[in-house]
Amino acid sequence: MLSDPKDYVRAAAIRSPRLPARVLSRLLHDRDTAYEAATNPAIPVPVLYRLLAAAAGRGSVTSREQEVDRLLGLGATLVAGLRNSDGSDWAVLADPNTHN
């Protein structure tokens, strides 16, 4: 399906969550297929973080703590945060440019 002459068939194949990871990785690095491949729900989380970091203009992925510190330094306010027993965590920040 990836070599089908119809654009919509190729696009559907690229977005398929059943696409092997090595094929998806190759498609993410190809300018002609990267846009569709980036919408594939099977992108592994570490790959997604690298894509987001690259899109944001940062060469590497920072830890959550580093990113929270960076945003706090820019004026954000920590509204809520939680660290789970499994080590995962999250933070909610208020935008310094938003007025109530």
Side-chain angles (χ1 to χ4, degrees), residues 25 29 43-56 58-61:
S25 178
H29 288 90
I43 295 175
V45 171
V47 173
L48 185 58
Y49 284 150
R50 285 193 300 272
L51 289 170
L52 292 171
R58 296 188 308 268
S60 63
V61 177

Side-chain angles (χ1 to χ4, degrees), residues 17-75:
R18 298 183 71 183
L19 200 61
R22 64 177 175 69
V23 175
L24 180 55
S25 178
R26 179 177 51 82
L27 295 169
L28 284 166
H29 288 90
D30 183 329
R31 284 184 182 261
D32 296 332
T33 57
Y35 181 80
E36 290 293 340
T39 65
N40 189 308
I43 295 175
V45 171
V47 173
L48 185 58
Y49 284 150
R50 285 193 300 272
L51 289 170
L52 292 171
R58 296 188 308 268
S60 63
V61 177
T62 59
S63 70
R64 186 199 68 85
E65 290 83 8
Q66 289 170 324
E67 185 64 7
V68 168
D69 288 345
R70 184 183 76 80
L71 294 170
L72 291 173
L74 293 172

Side-chain angles (χ1 to χ4, degrees), residues 4 7 9 12 20 30 42 44 46 52 56 59 78 80 83 90:
D4 193 284
D7 288 341
V9 174
D30 183 329
L52 292 171
L78 182 63
R83 184 171 304 269
W90 55 266

